[in-house]
Amino acid sequence: AVVSTQSTGRWSFDINCDKSIRNCPDFTKPAELKSIQKGIQDVIRQIVSSVTFLPVLESSCSFDILVYTDHDVTIPVGWDETTAKIVIGSENVQLKGFSTSVHSVTPTISYKMP
């Protein structure tokens, strides 16, 4: 088997937080649980339906989970810094995201055709 470290696909979930709310101790706007659950369900449906256009992977693959944080965040023990794992020459599909009163989520798929 040929071992390669080349990235062939990347799933990105860009989660942004309204920092003015996060740092405010008197925050009282309640997040609507039903709306948040619907947003997550919609993203999962899009992920499942992506099999209609993503290429079939014929060989064994490994997956890396990358977390991007602000510079002032303490990194947990056991986590390492790494590169971005960009897919060179990729097709990109931006899925429909969702927002709450505090966060916005933008999912994107990058993949390379064989």
Side-chain angles (χ1 to χ4, degrees):
V2 176
V3 177
S4 172
T5 58
Q6 182 180 22
S7 296
T8 57
R10 177 181 174 152
W11 296 72
S12 173
F13 299 89
D14 191 11
I15 303 170
N16 291 297
C17 178
D18 183 342
K19 292 182 181 184
S20 66
I21 295 173
R22 182 177 73 180
N23 296 329
C24 178
D26 297 329
F27 172 64
T28 56
K29 282 200 257 181
E32 294 183 24
L33 181 60
K34 200 169 203 172
S35 174
I36 293 169
Q37 289 172 333
K38 182 183 179 323
I40 294 170
Q41 290 168 350
D42 289 346
V43 170
I44 291 171
R45 277 190 208 91
Q46 292 175 87
I47 291 169
V48 170
S49 69
S50 70
V51 299
T52 61
F53 63 85
L54 290 177
V56 175
L57 301 175
E58 298 291 339
S59 61
S60 297
C61 297
S62 66
F63 296 87
D64 295 316
I65 297 176
L66 307 177
V67 178
Y68 296 90
T69 65
D70 291 335
H71 294 289
D72 61 347
V73 174
T74 304
I75 305 300
V77 174
W79 288 24
D80 296 319
E81 289 191 28
T82 185
T83 60
K85 310 293 185 196
I86 301 297
V87 181
I88 298 170
S90 66
E91 301 287 331
N92 298 300
V93 177
Q94 185 167 341
L95 303 178
K96 181 179 176 224
F98 70 97
S99 296
T100 70
S101 58
V102 180
H103 298 92
S104 66
V105 180
T106 307
T108 306
I109 303 171
S110 300
Y111 62 96
K112 185 182 234 178
M113 293 302 288

